[in-house]
Amino acid sequence: MSPRRTPAAPRTTKAGRRPGGPDTRGEILGAARKTFADNGFTATSIRAVARAAGVDAALVHHYFDSKDELFIEAMALPVDPRAIAAAILDGPPDELGRRIATVFLGVWESTDDGRQRMKAIFRSVVGNDEVARMMREGITSLIIEPVSRSLGVPDAHLRTSMVATQLIGLAIARYLVGLEPVASADLPTIIDRLAPVLQHHLTG
Amino acid sequence: MSPRRTPAAPRTTKAGRRPGGPDTRGEILGAARKTFADNGFTATSIRAVARAAGVDAALVHHYFDSKDELFIEAMALPVDPRAIAAAILDGPPDELGRRIATVFLGVWESTDDGRQRMKAIFRSVVGNDEVARMMREGITSLIIEPVSRSLGVPDAHLRTSMVATQLIGLAIARYLVGLEPVASADLPTIIDRLAPVLQHHLTG
């Protein structure tokens, strides 16, 4: 993620809009969470978040480079999905399955904090329709669509989404439900099981 | 499921144990849900459920043929997992993947009631550790283990559990989260995508 810019002195804003205060960034994130939840990722604009926060759109842009970045911060994602997409696409197409398995499981297994955040996200996606909608739209836009475009086949979007189903189920079985022996198998074993199946979804 | 036996007049029970009343069956199911949740499927016995319900074990046996049946009723499963296992195993091994996809998705797609019950079960498994434990133990015993035994290879249990991960993720993406185009693809398309991947998990 790009380094956060230091907040400058708030500029004069239009009548009725609050200038930036000490917790302006936090208030913008709160408004973003609500707006993404109400309208989904696709229909949410920086302008709509600014309106919900009662600040000028320029002030939102002051703290966040783009809608994507606002989403990543508002959802407390442990990694930047754009970096995930880039890592997946960086290599030969016939090893896509293995790269996807390695990158995805790396998010869960590299730090305790990352795993806890992923568990919280998965639980709210499954338990809450609004969270489900914003996450599926956000992840579709930031990961599934770039990977689909790289495949260059007509049914690419279905293929990439089937990969997502296998990853979602693996994560739930291994990290949330504790289904054995998937839960305690070592990481290389799981990657070896996943890689050919993900590759089949993409190019089989 | 076997047809329910008509309740007979309650027999005399040991001191301190209530004889069967008009809602005895419902009370036994409530006690079973609590006992399965507290102790998991594996460690729960008919005797323990009877103790929790304050009735004689013979009375539990009067209403329910076995612990398996008590579990199926207590969890309000829309189908009998033993029938699922039998349907999966009834056919040539090289078509296992297709039969599993067809049978599993049939549970979700044949009736509205079945789909609603499955959604409720999935949400509680992901949201609640006790429900997760009893369901994973129950499904392991009633479906995963019989299918694993039929494969007759050393890593059969891991292979069958990997099939479960793909099915869990497909169901969550299609029915709970609405991930497109998986959510609105027609059933034969989804089965065609799943079948070779499930077969690879089992015998690839």
Side-chain angles (χ1 to χ4, degrees):
Chain A
M1 269 174 259
S2 57
R4 197 71 50 231
R5 281 174 281 171
T6 311
R11 287 149 287 184
T12 309
T13 59
K14 292 179 198 154
R17 300 216 169 140
R18 289 186 296 104
D23 195 30
T24 305
R25 189 171 183 277
E27 287 167 18
I28 292 171
L29 283 177
R33 268 188 289 275
K34 181 167 180 351
T35 311
F36 282 127
D38 288 349
N39 306 331
F41 175 83
T42 312
T44 294
S45 61
I46 291 269
R47 187 180 299 267
V49 172
R51 220 166 19 236
V55 301
D56 197 88
L59 193 62
V60 178
H61 276 296
H62 172 77
Y63 288 102
F64 303 97
D65 282 331
S66 61
K67 178 171 93 167
D68 294 353
E69 197 179 319
L70 193 53
F71 178 75
I72 293 159
E73 296 277 328
M75 296 298 101
L77 301 187
V79 286
D80 186 334
R82 298 166 299 186
I84 296 281
I88 287 170
L89 293 176
D90 182 25
D94 62 348
E95 290 170 14
L96 262 173
R98 181 162 294 271
R99 281 200 306 281
I100 291 174
T102 307
V103 168
F104 177 75
L105 293 170
V107 177
W108 284 89
E109 310 232 350
S110 31
T111 67
D112 274 353
D113 175 64
R115 187 187 297 209
Q116 291 311 320
R117 285 212 225 176
M118 290 294 279
K119 283 173 79 162
I121 290 167
F122 268 63
R123 282 197 207 268
S124 20
V125 164
V126 173
N128 182 307
D129 287 341
E130 284 73 35
V131 179
R133 177 185 176 195
M134 69 183 155
M135 281 301 299
R136 83 172 183 248
E137 290 184 2
I139 296 305
T140 296
S141 168
L142 300 173
I143 303 185
I144 293 181
E145 283 174 1
V147 173
S148 298
R149 277 195 297 275
S150 85
L151 290 181
V153 291
D155 58 354
H157 198 162
L158 179 58
R159 288 173 173 274
T160 312
S161 301
M162 288 300 293
V163 165
T165 71
Q166 173 64 84
L167 296 177
I168 291 167
L170 191 283
I172 286 176
R174 182 169 169 90
Y175 305 112
L176 276 79
V177 173
L179 183 74
E180 295 294 358
V182 169
S184 47
D186 61 19
L187 188 56
T189 299
I190 295 295
I191 291 176
D192 284 347
R193 294 280 157 180
L194 280 179
V197 157
L198 300 183
Q199 191 69 40
H200 187 95
H201 274 317
L202 292 170
T203 59
Chain B
M1 269 176 260
S2 59
R4 197 76 47 236
R5 280 173 282 169
T6 312
R11 288 148 289 184
T12 309
T13 59
K14 290 178 200 156
R17 299 215 169 136
R18 291 184 296 102
D23 196 28
T24 306
R25 188 171 184 277
E27 287 167 17
I28 292 171
L29 282 176
R33 269 188 289 274
K34 181 167 181 352
T35 311
F36 282 125
D38 289 348
N39 305 330
F41 175 83
T42 312
T44 294
S45 61
I46 291 267
R47 188 180 300 266
V49 171
R51 226 173 6 243
V55 300
D56 197 87
L59 192 61
V60 179
H61 276 295
H62 172 77
Y63 287 103
F64 303 97
D65 281 332
S66 62
K67 177 171 94 169
D68 294 353
E69 197 179 317
L70 192 53
F71 177 75
I72 292 160
E73 295 277 326
M75 297 299 100
L77 301 187
V79 286
D80 186 333
R82 298 164 301 185
I84 297 281
I88 288 171
L89 293 175
D90 182 24
D94 61 347
E95 291 169 14
L96 263 173
R98 182 162 292 271
R99 282 201 304 283
I100 291 174
T102 307
V103 168
F104 177 75
L105 293 171
V107 177
W108 285 88
E109 310 231 350
S110 28
T111 68
D112 275 354
D113 175 63
R115 185 187 297 208
Q116 292 311 319
R117 287 213 223 174
M118 290 294 279
K119 282 174 80 163
I121 290 166
F122 268 63
R123 283 198 207 269
S124 23
V125 164
V126 173
N128 182 307
D129 287 341
E130 284 73 36
V131 178
R133 178 185 176 197
M134 67 182 158
M135 282 300 300
R136 83 173 181 248
E137 290 184 1
I139 296 305
T140 296
S141 168
L142 298 174
I143 303 185
I144 293 180
E145 283 174 1
V147 174
S148 298
R149 278 194 297 274
S150 84
L151 291 181
V153 291
D155 58 355
H157 198 163
L158 178 58
R159 287 173 174 274
T160 312
S161 302
M162 288 300 294
V163 165
T165 70
Q166 172 65 83
L167 297 177
I168 291 167
L170 190 283
I172 286 176
R174 181 171 170 88
Y175 305 114
L176 276 77
V177 173
L179 183 74
E180 294 295 357
V182 169
S184 47
D186 61 18
L187 189 57
T189 299
I190 295 294
I191 291 176
D192 284 347
R193 293 280 157 181
L194 281 179
V197 157
L198 300 182
Q199 192 67 40
H200 187 96
H201 274 315
L202 292 170
T203 59

